[in-house]
Amino acid sequence: MNNNTKSIFIAITGRPNAGKSTLMNTLVGDKVAIVSNKPQTTRTRINGILTQGDTQFVFIDTPGIHKGRNRLSDYMNKSISESVKDVEIVVLVADCTKKIGRAELDIIAKLKSSEQNAVLVLNKVDLIKDKTKLLSIIEEYSELYPFKEIIPISAKDSNSRDILLPILSKYAIESPFYFPENMVTDQSERAFIAEFVREKLLWFMNEEIPHGIAVEVESLKRRTNKDKKILDIGVVIYCEKASHKGMIIGKQGQNLKKIATLAREQLADVYEDTINLQCWVKVKENWRNHDTFINDMGLGSE
Ligand SMILES: Nc1nc2c(ncn2[C@@H]2O[C@H](COP(=O)(O)OP(=O)(O)OP(=O)(O)O)[C@@H](O)[C@H]2O)c(=O)[nH]1
Ligand SMILES: [Mg+2]
């Protein structure tokens, strides 16, 4: 390893649905965190890693800060506070189509108490027709905190990577690399696959159901059959009510089939193997208040 390496830990924070995971994926250049139009998509901190030349960026995607009504929410909010502490810089992602709210003010209060280096990303500028509106938003935020930079972008647009990486890299510090150079995330393979499946459930299920879903990879095996590489995956989808189970499965299993097919196709792209995916749905009442279950699912305290 090169002796002159640098690394930088970057916490990505903001309200639910602001585009934090979208931004992390764009910065890493690979899909490492799931994305959906439903708030509270991300549940635990997920690290995305990018090594460029002598610099290693470690992005920490956090759940969107929100008002908790159950133990799972408590864990999610705790993981945000912890992520913001020990990093070189915090990226506050704000949806520029929304007014400054409680979530942004809470994060700014945390930044103030630790005098953290922070940049503000005003996301979703593609949705604003009259770009001059951004000026007043920028002014409002700059009165709240001495952000190092305020950067209007579209996290969906890959150009935002070229804009942000040079800004962030200024805060890198001399240190060995913490992760192998080709690594893009430190999630376990099982966690990554479970998230992929949960993402499809978020896409297709409405109302309260997605928030009460947990996905576990129960079995994961690789085998070869006539030179064909096959990945056998057994997944359990937990939901909170028998009625939810029925809705997830759908008439004659149509819904679950649609979800599993899409998950299988996308996993096949990632792994370049043949994917054999089996999904079961089980009811686990009120699991979001069961500490043991939350911990078993990897959603509890780390
Ligand atoms: N128009 C537009 N939509 C975006 C942009 N960035 C993200 N989105 C959309 O915003 C929604 C939320 O994106 P996520 O990346 O899941 O948001 P998040 O902040 O990680 O949300 P949580 O994990 O729930 O806290 C998705 O539907 C994204 O496609 C953007 O630059 N422009
Ligand atoms: Mg997210």
Side-chain angles (χ1 to χ4, degrees):
M1 195 185 287
N2 180 337
N3 286 331
N4 302 316
T5 55
K6 288 178 284 184
S7 70
I8 170 168
F9 282 70
I10 301 152
I12 304 179
T13 62
R15 73 163 74 178
N17 222 37
K20 300 176 295 298
S21 301
T22 305
L23 180 65
M24 180 165 85
N25 291 339
T26 298
L27 291 169
V28 170
D30 223 319
K31 174 151 174 162
V32 290
I34 64 169
V35 166
S36 90
N37 61 3
K38 310 243 176 4
Q40 292 154 48
T41 295
T42 306
R43 283 183 174 160
T44 52
R45 44 178 287 174
I46 294 175
N47 293 342
I49 304 149
L50 171 72
T51 310
Q52 263 195 341
D54 61 0
T55 307
Q56 184 163 73
F57 299 84
V58 182
F59 302 102
I60 302 160
D61 183 16
T62 59
I65 203 160
H66 69 284
K67 251 172 75 197
R69 272 168 291 142
N70 51 47
R71 298 287 289 146
L72 179 62
S73 303
D74 297 344
Y75 283 122
M76 284 163 70
N77 285 329
K78 190 162 162 252
S79 93
I80 304 165
S81 306
E82 284 174 359
S83 306
V84 170
K85 275 190 295 190
D86 300 314
V87 292
E88 272 66 63
I89 193 154
V90 174
V91 175
L92 170 56
V93 182
D95 179 337
C96 68
T97 66
K98 302 236 155 67
K99 286 213 172 75
I100 300 178
R102 191 75 260 154
E104 287 78 23
L105 295 174
D106 278 353
I107 294 166
I108 288 171
K110 284 199 175 78
L111 295 174
K112 276 186 180 155
S113 67
S114 53
E115 295 180 19
Q116 268 282 13
N117 285 334
V119 297
L120 173 68
V121 163
L122 292 175
N123 190 29
K124 309 194 186 183
V125 288
D126 52 292
L127 298 177
I128 293 209
K129 282 207 185 74
D130 177 9
K131 303 285 190 252
T132 57
K133 281 199 180 128
L134 287 168
L135 295 174
S136 59
I137 304 177
I138 292 174
E139 203 175 289
E140 232 179 311
Y141 271 106
S142 45
E143 279 166 14
L144 291 171
Y145 195 73
F147 289 103
K148 299 289 178 195
E149 312 252 358
I150 297 183
I151 313 139
I153 58 150
S154 261
K156 277 183 168 181
D157 180 351
S158 60
N159 288 328
S160 54
R161 188 178 197 235
D162 305 331
I163 299 168
L164 279 171
L165 287 180
I167 293 173
L168 296 172
S169 68
K170 285 192 245 167
Y171 301 89
I173 50 175
E174 240 174 74
S175 91
F177 288 163
Y178 289 89
F179 299 97
E181 290 183 36
N182 56 1
M183 198 168 178
V184 290
T185 182
D186 65 347
Q187 292 170 91
S188 72
E189 195 164 46
R190 280 176 188 242
F192 178 79
I193 292 170
E195 283 289 271
F196 245 76
V197 174
R198 192 167 63 86
E199 180 180 54
K200 308 309 160 300
L201 288 152
L202 284 161
W203 290 359
F204 291 114
M205 303 305 303
N206 287 320
E207 315 290 332
E208 267 301 290
I209 301 177
H211 298 308
I213 284 175
V215 179
E216 183 180 30
V217 173
E218 267 203 336
S219 60
L220 187 66
K221 270 194 222 107
R222 289 195 154 76
R223 63 186 160 101
T224 35
N225 186 2
K226 294 179 192 142
D227 292 339
K228 204 160 84 172
K229 286 203 284 180
I230 300 167
L231 188 56
D232 290 315
I233 308 169
V235 161
V236 180
I237 297 163
Y238 291 97
C239 60
E240 291 187 314
K241 291 186 182 136
S243 60
H244 292 177
K245 178 175 170 173
M247 283 152 93
I248 293 168
I249 294 173
K251 275 202 189 89
Q252 292 161 340
Q254 285 300 324
N255 203 35
L256 186 60
K257 201 171 157 193
K258 189 171 69 180
I259 288 164
T261 303
L262 191 58
R264 179 172 52 73
E265 285 170 359
Q266 294 195 353
L267 286 167
D269 284 344
V270 175
Y271 287 102
E272 294 171 358
D273 290 342
T274 302
I275 305 287
N276 174 26
L277 176 67
Q278 304 284 339
C279 299
W280 288 271
V281 185
K282 291 185 186 170
V283 179
K284 184 91 191 168
E285 273 172 35
N286 197 24
W287 68 262
R288 282 182 285 174
N289 279 314
H290 287 205
D291 282 325
T292 329
F293 185 81
I294 292 173
N295 281 318
D296 287 350
M297 301 304 277
L299 300 169
S301 43
E302 284 157 83

